[in-house]
Amino acid sequence: DISAVSPADRRRLIDMPNHLVAPYLNLPIDQLIDGNAELTPECPAVVFHGKTTTYREFQRRSDALAGLLQELGVQRGDTVAFCLRRGADIPIAMTAINKAGAAYLPTAASLPKQRLEYMLKNACAKLILCDESTRLQLEGLCCPVQPVSYDHAPFTPVEGRSGEDIM
């Protein structure tokens, strides 16, 4: 197939006007981010304390983490908690969890253990994603602790998702 318009022009002229009126396109947020990664891969997606993560890098890392979650058995409808220090890893983890079809539960290592246990049990969290700085503080909780890794299996998109999945 040959298109008369470039992908960037198609997005600007056809797809984007649909985002300016209600109702918006019924797409999960991660698919909107991936669309930006295809059109503007070198543009900043996240800037934190002077460090920039481009859309290309954001997509690569969120896909790798989503692949890891799928390999660990996370499925559509599951809940995955995360406990990460502030930085680009937080929106990447949130996006990866959504890509795997799950809901995310933000937590903090500074919370009392009993509160964390209650949150994880109440949400039926399948696992908790962490970074190296929070890993030791989370050991012994009621669900497995998984360090974030961006060198992992390829991601397989979850079928049947819509913008309603994260509501």
Side-chain angles (χ1 to χ4, degrees):
D1 267 343
I2 297 176
S3 178
V5 293
S6 71
D9 285 342
R10 175 180 169 71
R11 182 165 172 86
R12 185 176 56 83
L13 297 171
I14 298 170
D15 296 338
M16 286 308 292
N18 290 328
H19 289 281
L20 302 177
V21 296
Y24 300 111
L25 291 176
N26 193 22
L27 293 174
I29 189 75
D30 58 269
Q31 291 178 11
L32 296 173
I33 292 169
D34 286 350
N36 280 346
E38 289 175 25
L39 294 174
T40 57
E42 297 308 316
C43 287
V46 177
V47 178
F48 183 76
H49 286 289
K51 186 172 186 230
T52 300
T53 303
T54 65
Y55 276 105
R56 173 182 287 138
E57 183 65 12
F58 190 103
Q59 182 181 31
R60 185 195 69 74
R61 291 167 65 185
S62 64
D63 283 353
L65 188 53
L68 170 64
L69 293 172
Q70 288 176 331
E71 194 171 278
L72 293 170
V74 172
Q75 299 176 6
R76 186 176 181 188
D78 286 342
T79 301
V80 174
F82 66 86
C83 185
L84 304 166
R85 294 211 179 255
R86 285 196 281 170
D89 285 341
I90 290 177
I92 290 169
M94 293 165 63
T95 303
I97 292 166
N98 287 156
K99 283 183 176 190
Y104 56 81
L105 172 67
T107 64
S110 61
L111 292 172
K113 286 257 189 205
Q114 290 176 329
R115 177 68 179 149
L116 279 171
E117 285 280 347
Y118 172 78
M119 291 170 64
L120 295 170
K121 285 179 182 174
N122 192 47
C124 301
K126 186 152 191 146
L127 59 90
I128 184 165
L129 287 173
C130 68
D131 50 33
E132 288 304 320
S133 63
T134 58
R135 183 179 188 173
L136 293 176
Q137 297 169 281
L138 301 173
E139 292 296 329
L141 291 174
C142 61
C143 65
V145 176
Q146 176 62 49
V148 169
S149 171
Y150 299 119
D151 299 316
H152 224 273
F155 161 66
T156 305
V158 176
E159 295 295 321
R161 294 181 55 234
S162 74
E164 299 297 316
D165 281 6
I166 61 169
M167 301 296 175

